[in-house]
Amino acid sequence: MLSGIDYFIVIAYIVGMLLLGLYFKKFVSSSEDYFLGGKSLPFWAIGMSIVVSDIGALDFVGVSGQAYRYGIAVGNFDWVGSVPAMLLAAFIFIPYFWRGGMYTIPEYLGRRYNKSVRTIASATWILFFALDLGVLFWASAVLLNVLMGWPIWISILSTAGVVGLYTYFGGITAVIMTDVVQMIIMFIGGFALVFLSLDAVGGWENMVEKIGTMGPEYQSHFDIIRPIDTKSPFPWTGILFGLTFVMANAYMIGNQSIVQRCLTAKNEWHAKASMIFGSALKMFIPILVLFPGLMAVVVHPDLADGDQALPMMIKTILPPGLVGLMFAAFFAGLMSSVDSLLNSTATLFTKDIYEPFIKKNADDRHYLKVGQITTLVLLGLGVATAPISSDFPGIYVAIQTFMSYFQGPLFAILLLGIFWKRSTQWGGLSALVIGIGFAIFLNVFKAGFFTIEDPFLYISWWSFLLAFIVNVVVSLLTKKHTKAELDGLVFSSKIVTKNKTL
Amino acid sequence: MLNFDWLSGISTETAKLIFFGLYFVIGALVLILPNDYVYEGIAKEDRHWWNNLKLWSLAVLAVLASVYYQF
């Protein structure tokens, strides 16, 4: 439980976030302001926002738990799993999306392929984001309930009230600027825990030595590259093919909540710089979330569940005041995930579903209102579905896993869409549908196909490869797009030369 | 085949070299980008070495490579 100073820090944090978010209400007068921040934001704010949206409180606990069980190999996800993909996004994809004045990734897919591809991609993201909302509301409520003693429903409503108010009024500008503060709090809280934990285990060298003498299951805890025959989910082949080549790229290039932030940049340099700055900050994330899990191996060697590693370290290592700060950091992770989902889902619905299918050519104020109402509806949906999470403890992991099955085929059509002008609408559509179907098939029958514990990295790679092949074959068999249809949508060396025409 | 057993002859040391090779290739690709493209959005008189995104990218790649060298 928290002490008086911890309560004060947490309450001050929540009220501060609400006031800061509401301040940005005055900058919203059009749908472009609401969804793209009026294309006026600087790289540093966007970069910080990308990082904090990517790492939530549930990841804090989960990654520390995996580090406790498997060691430093978990860090691959933030190191090689981010940097190459973010550089590819910065120099190739983001300039196209930014110059094209796009709001959503499915909007690009719709222009490049056809309306069906756009609708399938958008509907899939909306479904997953909406499901995630209820889970995140429940996770926030459990945190508030355990640490503050607030009843579950009060906890859910207070989280929804704070995040909902500033997201409803301030749009993506409020989301990004509150994310900046949330990232700073997360880094201060996280580094405080790392430094104090390091002190508790007698320094890095001492920790490495102690873990090395704890038995055969700990011998590979400091090996970032794992052999193919490892039973952990991180063989190097999975890290290289599934994570580096597919999932990381799909996440950094195809995830609406990440890319939408870069589209708010004030100019193209800021859009590119935001991704590169974000990749630099991402290098620190494993230090914050992974190292406490490693140190828990020394401090609490007999934990039955690795996911208890971080809570136990907070409980035993941090003094009053810093516990409150660490809790605020947890809450910051949750709030940034919730506000991102709300705004991105509202953008996807308004631009990809409402505008093309329900009301075309309405005035801009109308779409602004639709975006705000969608935010409110999603908020209500998230609150109403939150208690379901308590009946399905594995639902968060299940949602994340199913999302990963969508990533391979999505990246295949994005990659061919931008680099291969012969790729056709039917190639893209069949690749997306068959690729997702194949990923689900591999998941259902994974015990018969794979030898590692959780083969999501392999499934991503093979579904990507099949979608890639299907796109190529079907495209070659169908009518190619005209030059005019591809204008500004396919990579051309012109964008990196003095001719700025896309 | 789906488990990449056909690559089981490659040791973890060689695998690490493959990752270093990847960083090297990415760095080389970043280096060949024209400066005008990298600075696009910044007025000519405001272009300095510290807002050259090639240098930012190479710095991040160097830190990444050193992490993999360390572990």
Side-chain angles (χ1 to χ4, degrees), chain A residues 28-151:
Chain A
V28 177
S29 58
S30 68
S31 64
E32 190 185 72
D33 294 336
Y34 195 71
F35 298 127
L36 296 182
K39 286 200 153 192
S40 63
L41 298 182
F43 78 90
W44 52 267
I46 302 168
M48 290 164 98
S49 179
I50 289 172
V51 172
V52 77
S53 302
D54 181 39
I55 181 86
L58 299 178
D59 301 305
F60 253 98
V61 174
V63 174
S64 293
Q66 288 194 317
Y68 185 88
R69 287 188 288 270
Y70 304 119
I72 208 153
V74 187
N76 280 305
F77 283 81
D78 285 295
W79 287 324
V80 72
S82 290
V83 175
M86 291 174 94
L87 296 185
L88 180 66
F91 289 120
I92 302 294
F93 287 86
I94 297 298
Y96 267 85
F97 299 152
W98 191 90
R99 288 183 195 187
M102 287 167 206
Y103 284 74
T104 69
I105 301 302
E107 185 182 349
Y108 169 79
L109 293 173
R111 287 195 209 173
R112 177 64 184 84
Y113 292 106
N114 61 29
K115 213 170 173 178
S116 303
V117 175
R118 178 181 186 174
T119 309
I120 291 171
S122 190
T124 310
W125 279 119
I126 290 171
L127 178 69
F128 285 134
F129 283 168
L131 285 171
D132 246 3
L133 266 177
V135 179
L136 289 173
F137 275 131
W138 184 258
S140 311
V142 170
L143 263 180
L144 285 168
N145 176 260
V146 171
L147 288 159
M148 306 283 279
W150 295 358

Side-chain angles (χ1 to χ4, degrees), chain A residues 34-36 167 170-173 175 260 338-348 375 378:
Chain A
Y34 195 71
F35 298 127
L36 296 182
T167 310
I172 196 159
T173 309
V175 169
Q260 192 181 344
V338 172
D339 62 24
S340 302
L341 292 183
L342 280 175
N343 190 266
S344 295
T345 316
T347 310
L348 287 166
T375 304
L378 287 165

Side-chain angles (χ1 to χ4, degrees), chain A residues 476-496:
Chain A
L476 289 173
L477 295 173
T478 50
K479 189 185 163 198
K480 64 180 176 184
H481 292 224
T482 63
K483 203 175 173 188
E485 285 171 326
L486 298 175
D487 193 31
L489 299 170
V490 180
F491 184 81
S492 155
S493 57
K494 285 177 184 173
I495 76 154
V496 293

Side-chain angles (χ1 to χ4, degrees), chain A residues 120 139 181 186 191 196 229 246 248 254 280 304 312 371 399 418-419 451 489:
Chain A
I120 291 171
V181 180
M186 193 184 277
F191 273 114
L196 291 173
D229 58 0
V246 179
M312 289 300 286
I399 291 170
I418 209 153
F419 283 114
T451 50
L489 299 170

Side-chain angles (χ1 to χ4, degrees), chain A residues 74-312:
Chain A
V74 187
N76 280 305
F77 283 81
D78 285 295
W79 287 324
V80 72
S82 290
V83 175
M86 291 174 94
L87 296 185
L88 180 66
F91 289 120
I92 302 294
F93 287 86
I94 297 298
Y96 267 85
F97 299 152
W98 191 90
R99 288 183 195 187
M102 287 167 206
Y103 284 74
T104 69
I105 301 302
E107 185 182 349
Y108 169 79
L109 293 173
R111 287 195 209 173
R112 177 64 184 84
Y113 292 106
N114 61 29
K115 213 170 173 178
S116 303
V117 175
R118 178 181 186 174
T119 309
I120 291 171
S122 190
T124 310
W125 279 119
I126 290 171
L127 178 69
F128 285 134
F129 283 168
L131 285 171
D132 246 3
L133 266 177
V135 179
L136 289 173
F137 275 131
W138 184 258
S140 311
V142 170
L143 263 180
L144 285 168
N145 176 260
V146 171
L147 288 159
M148 306 283 279
W150 295 358
I152 287 287
W153 273 108
I154 300 286
S155 304
I156 290 176
L157 290 174
S158 56
T159 311
V162 172
V163 180
L165 270 174
Y166 74 68
T167 310
Y168 174 83
F169 286 112
I172 196 159
T173 309
V175 169
I176 289 175
M177 297 317 280
T178 50
D179 280 354
V180 169
V181 180
Q182 286 161 0
M183 200 215 80
I184 293 168
I185 290 173
M186 193 184 277
F187 269 50
I188 293 173
F191 273 114
L193 179 64
V194 169
F195 285 124
L196 291 173
S197 303
L198 209 50
D199 187 51
V201 297
W204 179 264
E205 297 293 333
N206 201 31
M207 178 186 71
V208 174
E209 198 183 313
K210 279 183 182 167
I211 292 178
T213 58
M214 289 177 79
E217 68 269 36
Y218 294 100
Q219 291 309 307
S220 304
H221 251 52
F222 292 94
D223 294 340
I224 199 159
I225 303 290
R226 294 295 176 89
I228 292 177
D229 58 0
T230 177
K231 292 295 170 200
S232 81
F234 318 117
W236 72 266
T237 40
I239 295 297
L240 184 68
F241 291 98
L243 178 66
T244 312
F245 290 160
V246 179
M247 282 187 71
N249 289 306
Y251 189 80
M252 292 301 169
I253 295 161
N255 186 323
Q256 175 66 20
S257 70
I258 297 293
V259 174
Q260 192 181 344
R261 283 162 164 68
C262 299
L263 304 180
T264 67
K266 62 169 92 171
N267 63 35
E268 191 179 313
W269 183 87
H270 279 267
K272 290 175 191 154
S274 65
M275 266 286 178
I276 302 170
F277 181 59
S279 74
L281 293 174
K282 284 277 282 178
M283 308 282 288
F284 293 100
I285 295 296
I287 299 173
L288 302 183
V289 298
L290 183 158
F291 284 14
L294 279 177
M295 293 168 201
V297 176
V298 176
V299 181
H300 301 287
D302 301 317
L303 292 179
D305 178 7
D307 286 353
Q308 292 175 350
L310 190 69
M312 289 300 286

Side-chain angles (χ1 to χ4, degrees), chain B:
Chain B
M1 187 189 104
L2 297 184
N3 290 291
F4 290 91
D5 346 25
W6 41 283
L7 289 176
S8 58
I10 295 178
S11 67
T12 50
E13 288 75 22
T14 310
K16 199 177 248 192
L17 288 177
I18 293 172
F19 280 88
F20 284 126
L22 179 70
Y23 306 147
F24 181 80
V25 169
I26 295 169
L29 289 173
V30 168
L31 272 176
I32 61 170
L33 287 169
N35 280 339
D36 271 353
Y37 177 65
V38 172
Y39 281 117
E40 180 66 36
I42 293 187
K44 289 242 191 267
E45 60 274 18
D46 295 328
R47 295 179 179 184
H48 307 285
W49 66 267
W50 43 263
N51 55 14
N52 183 344
L53 296 178
K54 281 188 196 180
L55 293 182
W56 293 24
S57 306
L58 293 178
V60 175
L61 283 169
V63 176
L64 183 66
S66 63
V67 167
Y68 279 74
Y69 177 75
Q70 182 65 34
F71 296 109

